[in-house]
Every structure is written in structure tokens, then in C-alpha cells.
Amino acid sequence: MAAERSVTEILDAAVGVREAARSASAGTTGLDAVLAALSEVMEYEHASLARWDPLRRCHTTLAGSYPDDATAYIETRLHRDPVFPVLRSPARGGLWLGDVPGRLLEASPGFREVLRPLGIEDGVAQCLFAVDGRYVGMLNVSTRRPRCAPDPARAVVTLLSEALAAAVASHAGPRSEEAAAAGPGAATRPGGLSPRELQVLAELTAGRTNREIAERLYVTPRTVGTHIEHILAKLDLPNRAAAAARAAAWGIGCSR
């Protein structure tokens, strides 16, 4: 079993996951093959890879073995779970069930209504970020057996996150989704702004801070700041208030 393997064997299995993820990114294999390879790193009862849809603001499962009610929770409610802001931090390597404070677990509908009835005692939720800082989706892995410590699989899952993010992003079509959110086609986007810059510009009309915008778009505050710098430069505007005014003049806004 995976928990009894040597560190070398687990690392060898991780190479297999990385290769499967690369194949999935290239479109030569599906993401089911990635999860199958991951089972060689750590045994699990259920696992899934889901992408984040920034337009619909929900997750879509690309591959997985969770029951239908658990899958529905991941797709439509997980991003509003009290645990989600903790695990979504780009600086975090993944949130293992055993590391979640008991008080937070009891406040989590996902744990009470989904994991506990399945008899889950361990596992990890790993948020996945593209190289440009965009939140693209997540890996969820659940097991009914507590894992032994020290557990090399913890470090391995973190090391694999970049490859997994690339695989999920390749199936997500984020560019087309952002273009749809922006409205006009690339040739007619106002001010020559990118789809993501238009999203940030829309958020500015609500007077939100960089951190608030980052939380809504699932990127880092630094990434938001960079987008705002590009917006001001492209539109030749002095500050974010002027950018918000320009957006309002163009009829661009966002939901509160």
C-alpha cells in the first residue's frame, strides 16, 4: 500500500503523475489518468480535479470519483465554505484534513454534510494556481484511513501542484471564458484592455480594494495591482478613481 512504500518509491510514483499531467496538458490523455497515477502516490477512496469557472463563479469537475452529492458540493458550494479562504491562499501548500482546527471543521458544511457521512478521516484539498497567479481549480483527495506521519506524500502533492494546475487550465479554456465575461470580441474591447483587465476595471467601479478584488477573482493582490497598473497605462489615466469613472462612462460595471 502507498503508506508502506519507501520515499524513493513514492517519488518515482510522483514522476508518473507529472508525466500524466503533461500528457493531459497536451491533450494526449485525459485527467482520469492523472488521478489514476496519483493513487500510486497515496491510496484514496475518492479524488477529483475541478476547474474554476470565473464567469459562472463555480467549479466544474473534470475527473473524479466522489459520489454525486459530494461532487455537487465541490462544484457549487465549496468556494463558500468557511474552510475555503484558508486553503485558497497561494502561499499554502495544501490543506490536510488532520490540520484543520476542530472548530473550523464543525463550522464547515462540507465536512459535516459531505466528508463525515462518507467516513473520511484524512485527505487534502490543494488549490491550483497558474503561473500568472490565476486560480484555476483544485485537487481534492479523501481517504477513510488516517495517514502515517511523517508522510512524504504531503510534500509530493505540493510539488505536483504546478503540473496539476497546467493540466486543469488546459481543459478550462480560461481565455474564452474571460472573453465572454468581457463582452465584446478582442478586436473591439475598449481601450485595448485584455479580458482580465476588463474584469478588474469592472471591480473598480464598486470601490473595492486590491485584496477584495483578488478574493473575488481568485488571484493574488499583487496580480490585481499589476493589472491596475496596466489599465492606467493603457488608458493614460492618473489613478483608479479615474479608471472607475472611465468604466462607468463605457457602461462597464460589476455585480455587488
Side-chain angles (χ1 to χ4, degrees):
M1 293 182 294
E4 299 171 347
R5 293 174 184 172
S6 68
V7 173
T8 299
E9 289 172 324
I10 291 177
L11 291 175
D12 286 342
V15 173
V17 177
R18 186 180 62 183
E19 292 307 314
R22 287 177 175 174
S23 295
S25 297
T28 56
T29 61
L31 289 171
D32 286 325
V34 177
L35 293 182
L38 185 64
S39 70
E40 298 298 318
V41 172
M42 57 179 291
E43 282 189 334
Y44 59 75
E45 271 67 46
H46 304 288
S48 74
L49 282 165
R51 70 174 173 86
W52 172 250
D53 186 331
L55 179 59
R56 296 169 55 226
R57 294 188 64 79
C58 65
H59 291 93
T60 299
T61 299
L62 302 175
S65 60
Y66 283 94
D68 289 345
D69 56 345
T71 298
Y73 190 91
I74 291 171
E75 292 186 337
T76 63
R77 297 175 59 195
L78 178 57
H79 62 287
R80 294 193 293 269
D81 193 288
V83 175
F84 190 72
V86 179
L87 67 91
R88 194 190 63 82
S89 169
R92 175 173 285 280
L95 185 62
W96 291 77
L97 186 59
D99 295 336
V100 182
R103 181 182 303 176
L104 186 55
L105 275 183
E106 290 305 315
S108 165
F111 177 71
R112 298 194 318 268
E113 301 172 14
V114 179
L115 296 183
R116 181 182 282 165
L118 290 176
I120 299 304
E121 294 190 24
D122 209 342
V124 61
Q126 172 79 58
C127 284
L128 305 173
F129 295 87
V131 293
D132 62 1
R134 287 180 297 114
Y135 172 64
V136 296
M138 67 186 311
L139 166 73
N140 284 284
V141 180
S142 298
T143 175
R144 293 190 181 95
R145 294 196 320 153
R147 296 189 59 79
C148 300
D151 186 357
R154 286 178 172 243
V156 166
V157 171
T158 299
L159 291 173
L160 289 171
S161 63
E162 185 174 334
L164 295 175
V168 167
S170 70
H171 287 69
R175 301 299 181 191
S176 60
E177 286 174 349
E178 289 172 7
T188 59
R189 286 196 297 264
L193 301 181
S194 71
R196 178 61 87 182
E197 288 165 353
L198 283 171
Q199 285 184 317
V200 173
L201 181 62
E203 295 292 335
L204 290 179
T205 64
R208 294 190 173 99
T209 65
N210 286 13
R211 182 168 295 279
E212 290 170 336
I213 295 172
E215 290 175 352
R216 284 175 60 84
L217 299 184
Y218 295 108
V219 297
T220 65
R222 177 178 295 182
T223 298
V224 173
T226 298
H227 285 313
I228 292 175
E229 289 177 4
H230 292 168
I231 290 169
L232 297 182
K234 288 181 178 181
L235 302 184
D236 192 24
L237 295 172
N239 52 49
R240 60 199 297 144
R246 180 69 59 85
W250 284 342
I252 295 174
C254 68
S255 60
R256 298 280 171 164

